[in-house]
Amino acid sequence: MAAPPGPAYHRLLGPLCALRPRLFFSPLALLLWIVLSCDLRGAAQGPGEWTPWVSWSRCSSSCGRGVSVRSRRCVRLPGEEPCWGESHEYRVCQLPDCPPGAIPFRDLQCALYNGHPVLGTQKTYQWVPFHGAPNLCDLNCLAEGHAFYHSFGRVLDGTPCTPGTQGLCVAGRCLNAGCDGLLGSGTLEDRCGLCGGANDSCLFVQRVFRDAGAFAGYWNVTLIPEGARHIRVSQRSHNHLALVARDGRYVLNGDGVLSRPGTYEAAGTRVVYARSAGPEETLQATGPTSQELLLQVLLREPNPGVHFEFWLPREHYGPFQAQAQALGWSLRQPQPREVEPQPVVTPVVPEAIPARVASLVPDSCGPCPDSRGRAHRLLHYCGSDFVFQARVLGRHRQAQETRYEVRVLLIYKNRTPLRSREYVWAPGHCPCPPLSPHREYLLAARRLVSPDGTQDRLLLPHAGYARLWSPAEDSRVRLAARRCPV
């Protein structure tokens, strides 16, 4: 009988045993991998690996909006963890609009049960959609001429959650598409209009025009250049804001005649003009502008200040600066965002501030309130919709909330099904308690559905229940489950 392999054998084959199968291996290399995968040193470690994505499926609808799906498989060895990420991705597909009079998708699904016995009897009914049930992505159908409805399970993927909204049902959940077209991705455009960006491809322009004015009439405040986004102008006085198009025509409040509050089309965007009895005026536009606009103020009394701001692509700032110089307007060197209240002789073109500085939020967060103790644990366990063990995969901070991406490992309590990978939302840039990526927690979360049904979230309340997972914490939470009323 041959002697067992010694230490030299393991040192030689150790690096090779760490190899993973690849689709492009030759038959000889694949055979070698199979022999070496017996790994006499112990079980494989780490997560498995995904196969490449398959092609996107055909659109779920024959007209209008629908859903397309693609999938991949997780390949892992014994002892390896599950792959990180989703096995399916869904995106919106847009086909030509449905012809007038076309039967809606949900109506067609209800109609499939017309004339068929249901509810354990031989009675048959004609079914139409019922939109008053709690779960928007169940096929809830009302029996015509009767005062009851029946749920036939989930609707087909791509069914609108409710008529007239953008949400689509996927795997029984109502999801909205991010700017990347993927349903449920949560990806948003940044202030520069870049999908999933970090506000670093544009500059934030913000100033206060404080010229008191030597005479009553129209005074130039600033040029709003082509490509500007998220424009906001405000002032509080009996003066009035005015907006001039590139051809010299007034969009708002021209020739001394006041315009009505409302929405106006200008430079390829919609300008919302509001005037209160305060007196306060505001102009707002999402943009981007397709051409320059000139912002003016009609002075009738001393000017307390016109506040304006917008975001401008970096490549547009140079031409904007040159154009302002050609108009003979003075330019000042970049200054801090807060401007000292000192008068100037002529209207001033604003300085540009890098967006990453303007949007900077301190990373230091204050201490969280003490939420330890059995009473706190019972309160949140009994009042929550979900209690589960999860590993935090990532964290994304936004202005008013923090989104954690987690992988669900063990479920203690759930009122509705949980997926293996979920998003958990926490209020504020500094949530309490904070969760650290790559660590495991016991979490108690609530289900939060928006009034229009377009958002279905897992919410971690402020000062809620989030504990690092341990065997002792597992015992405590199981004990709490016994003390909650059914």
Side-chain angles (χ1 to χ4, degrees):
M1 180 179 296
Y9 175 87
H10 290 293
R11 285 196 299 271
L12 176 64
L13 296 185
L16 295 176
C17 292
L19 291 175
R20 307 208 190 280
R22 295 292 188 270
L23 297 180
F24 51 79
F25 271 12
S26 66
L28 180 59
L30 180 61
L31 179 61
L32 176 62
W33 179 87
I34 293 173
V35 172
L36 296 178
S37 66
C38 296
D39 198 347
L40 301 176
R41 298 168 302 158
Q45 301 297 320
E49 292 193 354
W50 291 109
T51 62
W53 289 104
V54 302
S55 301
W56 289 101
S57 68
R58 294 180 60 184
C59 194
S60 62
S61 177
S62 58
C63 61
R65 299 173 75 240
V67 168
S68 182
V69 61
R70 66 176 182 176
S71 62
R72 56 183 178 176
R73 279 191 314 110
C74 180
V75 179
R76 57 185 179 131
L77 300 176
E80 285 187 327
E81 298 179 1
C83 298
W84 296 349
E86 295 288 352
S87 60
H88 291 75
E89 278 189 344
Y90 301 86
R91 70 178 182 184
V92 174
C93 45
Q94 184 67 53
L95 299 176
D97 291 340
C98 297
I103 301 176
F105 195 23
R106 191 181 290 262
D107 294 59
L108 287 173
Q109 295 174 61
C110 283
L112 292 175
Y113 296 93
N114 289 347
H116 294 280
V118 294
L119 306 177
T121 70
Q122 293 303 310
K123 290 185 178 180
T124 62
Y125 304 92
Q126 300 295 306
W127 301 97
V128 295
F130 176 70
H131 297 288
N135 193 335
L136 302 176
C137 290
D138 282 349
L139 184 58
N140 303 304
C141 303
L142 179 71
E144 283 192 302
H146 300 271
F148 68 90
Y149 73 93
H150 184 68
S151 178
F152 292 98
R154 292 178 176 177
V155 296
L156 297 177
D157 288 348
T159 303
C161 302
T162 53
T165 62
Q166 295 298 308
L168 295 176
C169 291
V170 172
R173 300 187 69 184
C174 183
L175 300 176
N176 282 296
C179 59
D180 54 4
L182 296 179
L183 286 160
S185 71
T187 309
L188 303 175
E189 283 190 354
D190 65 2
R191 307 302 282 181
C192 313
L194 183 64
C195 184
N199 297 334
D200 53 4
S201 64
C202 60
L203 299 173
F204 182 62
V205 178
Q206 183 189 52
R207 284 283 297 186
V208 181
F209 173 70
R210 299 187 183 278
D211 197 315
F215 55 86
Y218 288 94
W219 284 72
N220 293 333
V221 176
T222 184
L223 275 177
I224 299 176
E226 177 185 350
R229 292 176 178 268
H230 302 286
I231 305 159
R232 178 174 173 80
V233 185
S234 64
Q235 69 92 22
R236 293 180 60 87
S237 71
H238 293 288
N239 302 323
H240 297 288
L241 302 172
L243 204 58
V244 186
R246 187 167 60 178
D247 60 5
R249 297 182 181 180
Y250 276 92
V251 179
L252 288 168
N253 297 339
D255 302 320
V257 179
L258 297 185
S259 305
R260 294 182 176 180
T263 302
Y264 295 81
E265 298 286 341
T269 187
R270 292 183 175 182
V271 179
V272 180
Y273 172 51
R275 183 174 66 240
S276 67
E280 181 178 9
E281 279 185 319
T282 60
L283 293 178
Q284 296 187 74
T286 302
T289 53
S290 59
Q291 55 184 251
E292 300 89 356
L293 291 169
L294 175 62
L295 176 65
Q296 295 182 333
V297 60
L298 175 58
L299 292 181
R300 294 180 172 176
E301 64 182 31
N303 173 31
V306 177
H307 300 250
F308 61 89
E309 62 184 49
F310 52 83
W311 297 75
L312 187 64
R314 289 180 177 271
E315 63 272 17
H316 287 194
Y317 185 71
F320 165 53
Q321 193 175 33
Q323 189 173 21
Q325 288 175 329
L327 289 172
W329 290 5
S330 64
L331 291 173
R332 301 170 66 183
Q333 295 300 316
Q335 298 178 1
R337 286 182 56 174
E338 295 298 329
V339 181
E340 293 297 329
Q342 52 186 351
V344 294
V345 176
T346 55
V348 176
V349 174
E351 73 275 13
I353 303 174
R356 61 174 71 246
V357 175
S359 60
L360 186 63
V361 178
D363 286 331
S364 58
C365 297
C368 291
D370 189 359
S371 57
R372 293 172 294 179
R374 183 176 61 179
H376 180 83
R377 185 185 309 111
L378 284 173
L379 174 67
H380 282 279
Y381 188 99
C382 300
S384 65
D385 298 311
F386 306 94
V387 179
F388 55 94
Q389 175 193 354
R391 175 175 294 168
V392 179
L393 304 179
R395 176 181 63 195
H396 178 66
R397 288 180 172 175
Q398 301 177 0
Q400 301 297 329
E401 56 191 352
T402 301
R403 185 189 73 186
Y404 295 104
E405 183 179 4
V406 303
R407 184 166 76 246
V408 178
L409 303 176
L410 178 62
I411 300 173
Y412 297 89
K413 176 183 178 181
N414 62 320
R415 297 191 184 279
T416 56
L418 285 173
R419 297 179 297 175
S420 61
R421 189 169 174 177
E422 292 278 2
Y423 288 122
V424 178
W425 299 82
H429 179 79
C430 294
C432 284
L435 307 183
S436 300
H438 314 302
R439 304 195 73 176
E440 293 181 10
Y441 292 87
L442 268 174
L443 302 176
R446 298 175 184 171
R447 184 183 183 193
L448 182 64
V449 181
S450 60
D452 58 1
T454 58
Q455 288 187 340
D456 189 349
R457 290 179 166 186
L458 299 184
L459 174 68
L460 181 64
H462 182 76
Y465 184 79
R467 297 284 187 274
L468 285 171
W469 190 90
S470 66
E473 198 63 39
D474 174 82
S475 299
R476 296 188 190 106
V477 80
R478 292 183 186 276
L479 182 61
R482 302 175 191 170
R483 297 178 178 272
C484 288
V486 179

